[in-house]
Amino acid sequence: RNAITRICSNCDTASIIIPAWRGVTSSVTREKPYRLVLPNITNHEIPHFGKALPNITNHEIPHFGKALPYNKYVQKLAKQFMNDSVGKHPFIALHVRSEKLGSNCKEMFDVCLNRSLNIRDEILRNHSGLHVVYLTDYSIYGSQSCHNCVGKKLCQHFFNKMDIKTIQFDPVTYKTINDPGFVAAVELYAMSQATYLILVGGGSFQTQIRETFKVDKDAKQVYSMCWGAKVCKT
């Protein structure tokens, strides 16, 4: 209540917006029609993931920027999906955000993916009994902002060359909500249940995977690589 008062002391009413990974925008965009539109605010007023709102101290909003718990139905489907994929075995989840990787790290694409496989191999050498699952953003229920990006083609070529099979949650098979956002939520929660997590490419979706994973696991079990153009130029 104190935090809201400090933002809008003269308001009769106030709304609290909880941004999800799909994002918030101040205008309708054809490329990303699924975003929440708040037309009366400017971009610099939109809080970014993990950052406090202006004029509010961190102790007033101690949970802002933390991953919100997923509902029981999403959790149930995610656990069923992983049980069908790896059984009851502990597993490594390796996720590639090919759209981000293709736009930021095109010249280092294979380097980034090979690096992720080297980390996978090192984990497997030190920890027996682990299975590995591979997920990407280019399935038919994947990223809605780029269907023909160069990253998709590069990633498919790399995985085919390495004989790596990816998995994806199919809402038709599980007789559930046929929506890309719902599929993403199920896959996100499924990956958060991994013993080790390897994230390649970056972006807000992978940030959310990492934050959900870290709720009850050691941060040392997360490996993030090739996040952002600056990293990929070094």
Side-chain angles (χ1 to χ4, degrees):
R1 184 179 299 175
N2 291 337
I4 295 173
T5 301
R6 292 178 61 176
I7 295 176
C8 191
S9 59
N10 297 320
C11 296
D12 294 327
T13 61
S15 299
I16 298 175
I17 303 299
I18 302 175
W21 67 267
R22 283 190 160 201
V24 182
T25 185
S26 58
S27 61
V28 178
T29 60
R30 185 176 62 181
E31 295 80 10
K32 299 187 177 183
Y34 45 81
R35 285 192 167 185
L36 175 64
V37 178
L38 302 175
N40 295 324
I41 62 175
T42 58
N43 285 329
H44 73 272
E45 292 173 317
I46 300 173
H48 294 282
F49 186 87
K51 294 183 179 180
L53 291 168
N55 303 319
I56 302 179
T57 58
N58 287 330
H59 74 272
E60 290 179 300
I61 46 170
H63 300 298
F64 188 85
K66 300 296 183 182
L68 297 173
Y70 283 85
N71 67 49
K72 298 297 183 182
Y73 184 56
V74 169
Q75 294 184 30
K76 177 183 177 181
L77 285 173
K79 291 175 181 177
Q80 185 179 350
F81 171 50
M82 293 316 303
N83 186 62
D84 292 341
S85 300
V86 298
K88 298 296 183 181
H89 299 282
F91 64 95
I92 301 169
L94 194 158
H95 183 267
V96 179
R97 185 72 167 94
S98 68
E99 180 185 344
K100 297 291 185 183
L101 196 60
S103 59
N104 293 327
C105 298
K106 181 180 177 181
E107 293 75 15
M108 291 182 61
F109 204 96
D110 281 11
V111 172
C112 292
L113 291 180
N114 278 315
R115 191 181 302 167
S116 72
L117 297 187
N118 289 339
I119 290 174
R120 174 205 64 183
D121 292 343
E122 184 174 349
I123 294 172
L124 291 174
R125 280 194 296 269
N126 295 321
H127 303 277
S128 60
L130 287 172
H131 288 227
V132 185
V133 294
Y134 306 88
L135 296 96
T136 69
D137 59 353
Y138 58 71
S139 73
I140 59 172
Y141 302 104
S143 175
Q144 300 298 292
S145 58
C146 188
H147 294 285
N148 296 306
C149 287
V150 64
K152 172 183 177 179
K153 298 174 183 177
L154 292 173
C155 194
Q156 287 178 320
H157 175 75
F158 181 89
F159 278 176
N160 288 336
K161 180 178 66 175
M162 302 300 291
D163 196 26
I164 290 175
K165 307 298 182 184
T166 61
I167 64 171
Q168 66 181 51
F169 179 79
D170 184 356
V172 176
T173 299
Y174 289 88
K175 299 179 180 179
T176 187
I177 303 168
N178 193 337
D179 174 77
F182 183 79
V183 170
V186 173
E187 291 187 349
L188 189 157
Y189 188 81
M191 286 184 277
S192 76
Q193 302 307 295
T195 304
Y196 289 90
L197 186 61
I198 303 173
L199 303 171
V200 188
S204 57
F205 181 64
Q206 288 198 345
T207 299
Q208 190 81 339
I209 300 172
R210 183 173 63 184
E211 292 303 314
T212 306
F213 177 90
K214 286 163 60 178
V215 166
D216 58 357
K217 295 186 179 69
D218 191 330
K220 293 179 181 178
Q221 294 168 267
V222 184
Y223 298 85
S224 305
M225 63 201 65
C226 299
W227 283 34
K230 288 184 179 180
V231 174
C232 293
K233 289 178 181 178
T234 59

